[in-house]
Amino acid sequence: MSADFDTPHWDTDVLVIGGGLAGTWAAIAAAREGARVILADKGYCGTSGVTATAGPGHWWVAPEHREAAVADRQKRSLGLGDPDWMARILDLTWTSLPQLARHYAFSTDEQGRVQYRGLRGPEYMRAMRAFALEAGATILDHHPALELLTDADGVVTGAAGVALRGERPWTIRAGAVVLATGGCAFASRLLGAATNTGDGLLMGAEAGADLSGMEFTNYYTPMQAGTNMARSMSFAFARWFDEADDELDIPAGPDVSPHLARALLKGRLYCRLDRIPQDIREVMPQVQPNFVRPFARMGVDAYAERFEVTLVSEGTVRGIGGLRVTDTLCQTAAPGLFAAGDAASRELVTGAISGGGAVNSSWALSSGQWAGQGAAAFARGRAAKAGERLRHIGQAGLRPTSRSAGVDLLAAVQVVRHEMGAYDRNIFRTGAGLEASGERLDDAWREIAAHAGGWGRGLLRAREAAALVAAARWSKASALQRRESRGMHRREDASGLDPRLASRQRSHGLDRVVTRFEAISLENASLEAVA
């Protein structure tokens, strides 16, 4: 059932934090295991998150083609992918999507065959909400979580937050917790990412989880200037022009962003979409309806006229980094805590390149179900201790280490937006630039940790600012230590691939950020560096 309770305290077997694609699949999977499930969403489950604004595809591959698909993806992962995980998500995607048929009207092709690969985001998430409710999950809308709870042994045992209606605090005791809070868009104003502020990454790190792949957080998408419409399928057919209307020699493909960024650093950039085939133009309003609306509103014929474009950072949303999972059921290094979707690192299935829409969507679907199953199993093995007091472990933005004082949270968020969005700082990286960014972010972190706090929505804003800064610090520290260019991570001062660094990199720490590579062949090299 969907609920808005009067009392601020509940008990459940599994608590899912986040109501997007991964969160709803996690709730369904946990409920199928017989667990009592509460799903707490910062927004309204079914409309919040990036999937609800998109036309998400899936990594939908017939069994006879999977070996080739995995081999191709593994080759492009640049040494950081795992073919066993890739095969697992292909299999689960294939068996899971048809289960939505009771709630979602799949389209058919000209031969009447059901098309499962691509879905309409708004309808998809409405269907997922209905599916989760049907499975027996309780949904708490507009109930952002602010911190995790642990027992005396340090095992994650629930969460605490604030109900936005009435700004009432709440606590939920749970046998296990799934973090499905989405990626971190670093306040870039990406469409659908207003709730994606890195909350789950910070909560997980406070509980003892570590992160992986945080250097791979600089994925950028072209969009019409003056909008936040970052739906990029059509730009595969784009022609690019400077202010003088001279066409630029910019190749099509997944590595177009650096070329566009260099052009934007010189001046305004324009685009024409006159090469888009007619059949794609006809289906665009159904496949990606949000893409065409800004053009209609501005009176621009996108398929005939040129229009100004810019690049928006998608951070870890279509980047890679997130909480590291330690087993096949997506448990993190913190006992009792599981991670799914964009809140988890996707290196296992994407490597050093973006999962784009298809692989990322299948990862959300799959990791959500594995995390839900794992959390239900973990909860079954726990017994609540009578009278046990739970520890509230949230720190920065909740419990100042010094006297509470006014902190310019908007200024802190602007630091994150600049350091993680500026092309010359985040696409074209150098050691000196990364160090300078790290110092600015460290200053913002110290100010928030020492003085920020609040009540109700004010507390939520302080916590979001802390999470944004924390995620940016992990990203910059990881990028500094990866002294090479691999996938979306590019170093102007180390432009080639270093085969000795074909390894996933972990990061952790709050006041002091620490990174280390899981395996490295450099003789006599220090595996740990304090940033």
Side-chain angles (χ1 to χ4, degrees), residues 148-163:
L148 296 175
L149 311 176
T150 63
D151 64 13
D153 297 321
V155 180
V156 174
T157 321
V162 59

Side-chain angles (χ1 to χ4, degrees), residues 392-412:
H392 293 243
I393 64 172
Q395 296 299 319
L398 292 178
R399 297 176 179 88
T401 58
S402 185
R403 63 179 179 84
S404 181
V407 175
D408 191 341
L409 297 175
L410 291 178

Side-chain angles (χ1 to χ4, degrees), residues 87-229:
R88 291 177 71 214
I89 73 166
L90 284 172
D91 181 63
L92 192 55
T93 299
W94 187 262
T95 59
S96 296
L97 283 175
Q99 299 171 21
L100 274 174
R102 292 192 307 278
H103 305 288
Y104 180 91
F106 288 98
S107 59
T108 57
D109 64 14
E110 295 177 351
Q111 285 74 42
R113 293 172 298 199
V114 178
Q115 298 298 293
Y116 293 109
R117 186 188 307 275
L119 288 83
R120 303 172 296 278
E123 295 170 48
Y124 189 6
M125 287 313 305
R126 281 199 299 270
M128 289 305 301
R129 180 185 178 95
F131 199 1
L133 291 171
E134 179 186 71
T138 293
I139 296 177
L140 301 178
D141 296 304
H142 307 297
H143 277 65
L146 299 177
E147 62 179 328
L148 296 175
L149 311 176
T150 63
D151 64 13
D153 297 321
V155 180
V156 174
T157 321
V162 59
L164 297 184
R165 181 184 298 175
E167 301 188 59
R168 300 170 295 134
W170 57 260
T171 60
I172 298 175
R173 179 171 185 144
V177 174
V178 177
L179 286 173
T181 50
C184 182
F186 297 114
S188 66
R189 301 188 178 95
L190 174 71
L191 180 67
T195 58
N196 288 187
T197 50
D199 309 355
L201 306 186
L202 178 56
M203 286 189 282
E206 289 173 333
D210 57 1
L211 301 99
S212 182
M214 289 301 289
E215 64 267 47
F216 303 113
T217 54
N218 56 340
Y219 188 93
Y220 285 70
T221 301
M223 67 180 186
Q224 183 185 8
T227 77
N228 62 355
M229 183 44 57

Side-chain angles (χ1 to χ4, degrees), residues 252-435:
D255 296 324
V256 70
S257 292
H259 299 283
L260 299 181
R262 292 192 191 280
L264 283 162
L265 288 171
K266 295 177 182 178
R268 292 183 174 180
L269 178 66
Y270 295 85
C271 174
R272 284 192 176 90
L273 298 177
D274 50 0
R275 296 191 303 190
I276 294 183
Q278 185 61 36
D279 59 334
I280 293 181
R281 299 183 191 189
E282 291 173 357
V283 301
M284 189 62 68
Q286 289 76 44
V287 175
Q288 287 191 345
N290 286 326
F291 176 79
V292 300
R293 286 173 182 164
F295 295 104
R297 186 174 67 250
M298 296 179 179
V300 174
D301 183 348
Y303 305 124
E305 303 175 56
R306 81 169 191 170
F307 55 92
E308 188 176 354
V309 295
T310 187
L311 286 173
V312 62
S313 170
E314 298 212 31
T316 72
V317 174
R318 279 209 280 189
I320 296 168
L323 295 167
R324 183 178 67 91
V325 299
T326 62
D327 65 15
T328 57
L329 292 179
C330 295
Q331 183 164 216
T332 71
L337 183 64
F338 297 76
D342 292 354
S345 173
R346 277 135 290 157
E347 285 175 296
L348 293 167
V349 295
T350 68
I353 64 172
S354 172
V359 178
N360 279 358
S361 294
S362 287
W363 168 253
L365 174 155
S366 302
S367 63
Q369 292 184 75
W370 294 325
Q373 293 167 6
F378 190 93
R380 281 197 300 270
R382 299 187 68 184
K385 301 174 184 177
E388 180 182 37
R389 294 178 62 86
L390 302 183
R391 296 173 54 236
H392 293 243
I393 64 172
Q395 296 299 319
L398 292 178
R399 297 176 179 88
T401 58
S402 185
R403 63 179 179 84
S404 181
V407 175
D408 191 341
L409 297 175
L410 291 178
V413 172
Q414 185 57 38
V415 170
V416 172
R417 182 177 290 125
H418 181 68
E419 300 301 333
M420 300 304 296
Y423 311 143
D424 57 351
R425 293 180 183 273
N426 207 39
I427 292 182
F428 308 116
R429 293 167 163 175
T430 64
L434 291 165
E435 287 180 345

